[in-house]
């Protein structure tokens, strides 16, 4: 069966350090992978999209990599700030139409 | 500002009661979606609609119903047949139903059982 795995344990990190989150998937061949940020009691907000033929994508302090051989995406927040504290979700295409399948998310806590 | 508005923010359901969650968007998007979020689980798709007057079941449609009479609106009814309705419900939209387009989400409705 198809599965998306994100680390369920919260990632606690000191301000200024780099946070690295993992998204592993099985039984998918996604053409695209998306990352979202979700704050408590709010809806997810789109951050980045990476295509299968792209190895890396950057947006300001965010960087995403996509390794289709390892079936894994890494999400990096460099020079982390307390305002980066949130839950981060990865999402993959689940069928040809474009239904997204979401991971459960990883909570990031950045302490000053 | 364009966006998605969900109402109410909190909703309580009595046993045997149907309740309707509202979702309105002014982004001129064709595709709309309803998800359910439970603690420790990913978002699960309930229903989706690619165009007005058309919608399809998602992964967990049992006990739910929707309508899409207007492009801007996609209400979700949680029926009494849904035995475990307590969850956070999220509505989303995208320009069209393709995976290379991000989805825009509302701020959710939290449904609880009285």
């Amino acid at each position: 069966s198809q599965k998306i795995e994100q680390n369920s344990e919260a990632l606690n990190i000191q301000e200024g350090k780099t946070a690295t989150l993992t998204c592993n998937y099985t039984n998918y061949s996604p053409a695209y992978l998306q990352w979202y940020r979700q704050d408590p009691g709010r809806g997810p907000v789109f951050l980045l999209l990476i295509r299968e033929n792209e190895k890396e994508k950057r947006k300001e302090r965010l960087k995403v990599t996509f390794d289709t051989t390892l079936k894994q995406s890494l999400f990096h927040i460099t020079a982390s700030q307390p305002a980066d504290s949130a839950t981060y979700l990865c999402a993959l295409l689940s069928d040809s139409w474009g239904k997204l399948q979401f991971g459960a998310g990883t909570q990031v806590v950045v302490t000053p | 500002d364009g966006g998605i508005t969900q109402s109410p923010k909190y909703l309580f359901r009595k046993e045997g009661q149907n309740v309707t969650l509202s979702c309105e968007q002014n982004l001129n998007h064709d595709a709309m979606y309803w998800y359910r979020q439970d603690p420790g689980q990913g978002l699960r798709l309930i229903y989706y609609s690619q165009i007005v007057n058309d919608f399809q079941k998602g992964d967990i449609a049992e006990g739910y119903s929707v309508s899409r009479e207007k492009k801007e609106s996609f209400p979700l009814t949680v029926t009494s047949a849904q035995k475990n309705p307590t969850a956070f419900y999220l509505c989303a939209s995208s320009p069209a139903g393709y995976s290379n387009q991000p989805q825009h989400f509302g701020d959710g409705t939290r449904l609880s059982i009285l």
Side-chain angles (χ1 to χ4, degrees), chain A residues 32-77:
Chain A
Y32 306 93
L33 187 148
Q34 302 183 14
W35 283 89
Y36 289 79
R37 168 185 173 139
Q38 186 175 23
D39 291 289
R42 306 293 299 274
V45 174
F46 171 77
L47 296 174
L48 282 165
L49 177 148
I50 187 165
R51 294 172 173 76
E52 62 178 339
N53 61 353
E54 295 177 315
K55 296 298 182 189
E56 183 179 296
K57 196 81 169 279
R58 291 177 185 260
K59 178 183 175 183
E60 298 173 353
R61 295 182 293 108
L62 306 179
K63 185 177 86 170
V64 172
T65 62
F66 192 10
D67 189 325
T68 55
T69 302
L70 291 179
K71 295 187 182 295
Q72 180 182 78
S73 174
L74 298 179
F75 178 84
H76 306 270
I77 308 172

Side-chain angles (χ1 to χ4, degrees), chain A residues 87-107:
Chain A
T87 297
Y88 293 86
L89 313 173
C90 69
L92 305 178
L93 168 70
S94 69
D95 67 23
S96 59
W97 171 76
K99 276 165 48 183
L100 289 178
Q101 201 78 21
F102 285 83
T106 298
Q107 184 184 11

Side-chain angles (χ1 to χ4, degrees), chain B residues 2-18:
Chain B
I4 296 185
T5 302
Q6 289 188 242
S7 61
K9 192 164 181 64
Y10 299 95
L11 187 58
F12 298 90
R13 195 191 88 170
K14 295 179 182 177
E15 292 289 336
Q17 187 181 44
N18 293 353

